[in-house]
Amino acid sequence: MALIWYLLAGVCSGLLAGMFGIGGGMIIVPVLVYCFTALNGIEAGVAMHVALGTSLAIIVFTSINAVIAHQRKGAVEWGVLKGMTIGIAIGAVLGAATASWLSGAALQVIVGLFSLTMAAQQVREVIKGKRQIGNEAAQADYPLPSRMWQYGSGAVIGWASALFGIGGGSLTVPLLTSKKLSMHRAVATSSACGLAVALFGAAGNMAFGWGKAGLPAWSIGYVNLPALCGVAVASMLSAHLGVRIAHRASGVQLKLGFALLMLCVGIDFLYSAWWG
C-alpha cells in the first residue's frame, strides 16, 4: 500500500515540477507524512522531519528531468542561476539545521501559512494585470538582477526550501517574475534552482538526522530510502509531460494554477497541525 502511495505522489510531483518549476514537495510531504504515520506507525513529529528530508532528496531527481526538458526549449536563465546557487548552498544548510530544531506541528503551521501567502501573491499579480514578457526579444529589454540580489535571494530561497522540504519554486518563481522575467523563463530557471536547493538540503537533513531515535527502517538521517526510490522513479517519468503542459499554457493560466495549488496545500497543512 505504501508503494502505491509513493508512486502516485511521484507522478503528481513530476507533473508539478514541469508545470510550475517547483520540486513537488508540497504534494510529496503530506503524502509521506501519511505513509509514515498511518501505514508505518512512525511518531508524527519524527514523520514530519523524515518527510521533509526525503522530499528534498526526491526533488534532486525530479528537478534533473525538468531542467533538461526546459533547457531543450532554451528557457533556463543560466546567468541568474549561477549567482543564486552560491546563496542557495549556504541557505539550504542553515534551513536544514533550523528544521531539525523545530517540532513537527510547528513545521506544519509554518508551511501552511507560507503556502497561503504564496497563493495570495500570485492571485494579486493576476488581478493587477502585471505585464508578462512573452518572447525573447522583449525579455532582452530588461537587465538581469544584480549579483548581490542573486546572492541574497538565493540564501533566502535555500533556507526556506530546506526548512519546508520544497524545491523553492513557490519563492523563486514570484521573485523572478518581479524582476520582469516571463512566467515561462521564471518556471524554467526555478527548476534549475530547485536542483541546487535539493542537493544541499538533502545532504543537511542526512547529517542533522543521523542517529535520531524512532526513524523508519532504511533511513539515512532524515532521508528514507524506500520512499525516495518509489517517488523518484515515478516523478522522473512524468516531469517531461508537465513541461509540455507549461509551455502550452499562458502566463496567467500558470499563475492561477500555481495559486490554487498553494491554497489547497496551505489549508491541508494548517488543518493537520491544528485539528489533525
Side-chain angles (χ1 to χ4, degrees), residues 74-107:
V76 179
E77 192 63 69
W78 293 105
V80 175
L81 176 66
K82 291 177 183 178
M84 293 180 71
T85 299
I86 296 174
I88 285 172
I90 298 172
V93 174
L94 293 176
T98 305
S100 70
W101 299 329
L102 295 173
S103 68
L107 285 171

Side-chain angles (χ1 to χ4, degrees), residues 106-129:
L107 285 171
Q108 287 182 313
V109 172
I110 292 171
V111 173
L113 293 175
F114 168 75
S115 300
L116 294 180
T117 301
M118 291 299 101
Q121 181 189 22
Q122 293 299 295
V123 172
R124 178 172 173 269
E125 287 191 8
V126 171
I127 293 174
K128 287 177 63 178

